[in-house]
Amino acid sequence: MKDKTPMSREEETLKSIARQANPSPSFTNELEKKLMNAHKPEKTGFFSFGQIASTAGWAIGLAALTLAFIWVIRSIAPQPKPQPAAGDTPAPQETRAAPTPSGAAYKRYGQTLYLQAELPASPTEASVYNYLPEQPATLESARALAAQFGMEGAVYKFPSETASLAKDFLVVDGERHLHVRSDQYFQYYYYPRYAAAVNSQTPPVNAEAVIEDFLQSHGFDFPHRIQPSEIYGGYVAVPLTPDGHILCYEYFKCAGLHFQFDEQGVIYYIDGILPKYELIGQYGIISAEEALKLYIDPALTGNPNATMGSIEGMHSPTPTFQTWLRARPLDQTLTLYGYLNSVPSAEGGAPLVTFDGYTATGNTADIPAEY
């Protein structure tokens, strides 16, 4: 039975370092050459020169290995942190208070609001209008709007976005699609560009001029104002009321024609919201200064819990998403997975079969007219 004496902590450390030592190839080759040259089989006495050289070579190798151990130990050993001299105290980090915004400060629900704009001199009266309900699109109205866009394609019955309407109409003329819901709403788009646009592109510098030319050339001659769309990107041609104002809803959505541009600065999408209304009458309104006071302190209205009369909203900026397009050779077979859809014709023709929105051609006779 052999007595196994446990190794000390220092021995374990040295053996661990020896296993991690990795001398450079040039050092190993040079040492090997020296050892081979030092080894001579001839003997010239009790101690041969070869043995002495071999012993010297081993000594040199051991010395070099020892130096490598010392270098490894120094490199992996934790370095002591410099200590400040006696009597020295570390300088405290400088803290700066947040700058106070400019403008008049108001307290509201425990928060401080700052007014950084001049209150507008609003009129004392405003017009009130009555919204007229939508009239569902017909085949004739869809055809008429398509002609306004210069489209002569087939017309199909399309599932309606509104529960109150049975069917919408879809006019397809090549890559151009026109979805008509009613006399107040439509969508016009180039489908390949519309499907490829993952986010709103930066409009061209002459976007307003391009929109103005489009409106005039397509018969949209209503009084309007062209302005950027803050949340949806692109631009909106907003129609003006008889007294020169625009119609907007909550969440930054305004009535009008919303234009989107592709990377080449070409209009590829129009969202048309053109509400119809009738004038009810003129009514007095409070000033902007009085409205601000009621907003800061709702108790002035007589109801401390009153929230009617004010709409709050916020949104974050929309960044440009990075996309990657993989180019594939034309002679390569691809297997695609997507949604197959079929809508019937509104004129008694063949149904429109689409694959993920793209028009499908080929053997489509077995696909139902409404799928």
Side-chain angles (χ1 to χ4, degrees), residues 313-349:
M314 61 178 296
H315 68 88
S316 58
T318 303
T320 300
F321 300 100
Q322 293 183 351
T323 57
W324 174 68
L325 179 62
R326 179 178 178 181
R328 300 179 183 271
L330 296 178
D331 57 350
Q332 179 179 349
T333 301
L334 299 177
T335 302
L336 302 177
Y337 299 90
Y339 290 96
L340 188 66
N341 190 32
S342 177
V343 293
S345 171
E347 302 172 307

Side-chain angles (χ1 to χ4, degrees), residues 47-95:
F47 292 101
S48 64
F49 177 77
Q51 289 176 331
I52 297 175
S54 176
T55 303
W58 280 105
I60 293 173
L62 289 175
L65 189 58
T66 301
L67 293 175
F69 286 161
I70 295 174
W71 177 83
V72 171
I73 292 174
R74 289 181 177 179
S75 63
I76 65 176
Q79 301 297 324
K81 296 182 179 180
Q83 299 295 329
D88 293 345
T89 56
Q93 295 183 352
E94 182 182 2
T95 57

